[in-house]
Amino acid sequence: MTNERFLRQSFLGESGQEVIGRCLVGLVGLGGGGGHIALQLAHVGFMNYVTYDADFAEDSNLNRLVIAIEADVAAGTPKVEAAKRRILGVRGAAHVETYRCRWQERPEPLRACDLVFGCVDSFAERRELEACCRRYLIPYIDIGMDLHQAGDEPPVMGGQVILSMPNGPCMFCLGYLTEEKLGREAARYGAAGGRPQVVWPNGVLASTAVGVAVDLLTDWSRSLRGPVYLAYRGNDGTVVPHPRLVHFRGGACPHYPPDQVGDPLFKRL
Amino acid sequence: MNVRLRLTRQLYDQVRRDLLRPHPFAAERVGFLFARLGNVGTAAPLVCFTAYRPLADERYIDDPHSGARIDSQAIRAAMQQVIDRGEGAFHMHMHAWPGKPHFSPMDRNELPRLIPSFQAVGPGCAHGLLLLSHDACAAEVWLPGSKRSVEAARISVVGFPMQLIPGGET
Ligand SMILES: [Zn+2]
C-alpha cells in the first residue's frame, strides 16, 4: 500500500492511519446503511473486518444497496459477499470475515472486534447488539432511518447515529430505546412489512457514522469526548445533536454495570 | 492464539495516575488489575479488566537491586481479591517512556512466581503480568489451567479517544 493513497487525509496523522489499519471492525447488517459503511471504511483504510448478514441481494434492495449490482440479484449473491468484493476491490490486502447468518449464531468473532457498527432493523436487535458490546467492552455505533406519516401530512423522514461507549450512557439512558418501544415492536411482530428504506438518508447516516468512528480512533478533531446521539431530519436535510443528549444529566449507566463484563458466569447452586 | 486485553479509559487513566506517582524509595510503582474472561475456549480470548487496586507505600520493600519489590501482605491482599471478586489478577507496572517495553531479566525471573498463587485461588480465571509504556505494552497471560503464558496481542483502551496499544502483534 502506498502512502500516496492517504495523501489527502494526512491530517489524520501517521499513527491515526496506523490505528485505522489495525482496528478490527464489526459490521452487523449489510443493507442500505451497512453497505455504505463498508465501502467508506475500505476507502478510509480499514483492513480488518468481521461482517454479518443472513440475506442475499434482491431486486427490491437495488434502490439503496450500493454494494450490489443487477448481476448480484440474478446470481443471488449473499450481501456479505457483495460487501467483501467491494472492500477487496479498494483494499486488496484487507482481511474480511463473512458470516452469512445472524451474529447471535456466531458471536465469538463479533466479540473480538474493536468497534462495531449496527445497521439493523429492529429495536430488539439493537438492544441485543448493544448488550453484547457492553459485555465485551466494545464501542457501538448504531444507525437507522425511519419514515413516519400521519394523516394527510407529508411524511417525516428521520434517523439517528448513536455512539454508545462502555461505561457511558447506553441507548436506554439516552431514551432511544424504551421498554414501551420494544413492547410495541414485539406486539406487531410479523405484521410490520418492509419499512421505507432509501439510499440518500442511508448515505448521510453512514457517512456521519464513519466520521464518528474515524474521530474516535484518530482523535483528529480532539473534540470527541463523550457519547454521540445525532438526529437526522430528512425533510430539511439536517443532522443535529439530539435534544435528549443535549439535556442528558444522568450519571453512571444503571443498565450495564461495569463488573458485568466477559462471558456471563453461571453460579453453581 | 490471539489474546486481547481491554479496559475502559476511566480505568486506564486511574492506573496511569497511580503508577506515575513517585514513591519515597521504590523506582517504580506496582498495582493489581482484576479481570474477567471472554470468548473462553476460542482462539481469540478476551481479558476485560474491571478494577484496579493500588498498593500503599508501606507495601514496598527497600531493595536497591529491584525497581519495585512488594511484600507478601500485598500479594495476599491480591489473592483475597481474586477470591472475593471471582476475577483474575494481573500484576502491573509501567515504564514512563515511549516504545515497546520489555520485562527486565529480574521481572522475568521473579514475577511469574506469583501466578501459581493466583491460580490456586482463582483456577477458572486468567492471570498475568502487564507492563505498560506510554504507547506500547508487554503482557503475559496465563489462561485457566495453563502452566505456560501467552503474549497478549494488544491492549485496547476503550473510551475517548480509543487507543489500540500494540503488544505482541506486529
Ligand atoms: Zn444505560
Side-chain angles (χ1 to χ4, degrees), chain A residues 32-34 36-37 117-121 126 140-145 159-162 176 201-210:
Chain A
H36 257 295
I37 290 177
F117 288 92
C119 313
V120 294
D121 287 333
R126 294 186 156 87
Y140 172 66
I141 301 179
D142 186 277
I143 71 165
M145 71 155 288
Q160 84 288 338
V161 175
I162 295 175
Y176 176 69
N202 280 331
V204 173
L205 295 165
S207 295
T208 307
V210 169

Side-chain angles (χ1 to χ4, degrees), chain B residues 85-107:
Chain B
R85 306 180 66 88
E87 297 177 350
F90 280 68
H91 173 284
M92 67 170 309
H93 68 293
M94 182 172 258
H95 287 169
W97 51 82
K100 167 91 180 163
H102 296 278
F103 290 106
S104 69
M106 186 180 268
D107 287 344

Side-chain angles (χ1 to χ4, degrees), chain A residues 169-170 172-173 253-256:
Chain A
C170 72
F172 282 102
C173 291
C253 165
H255 309 94
Y256 299 105

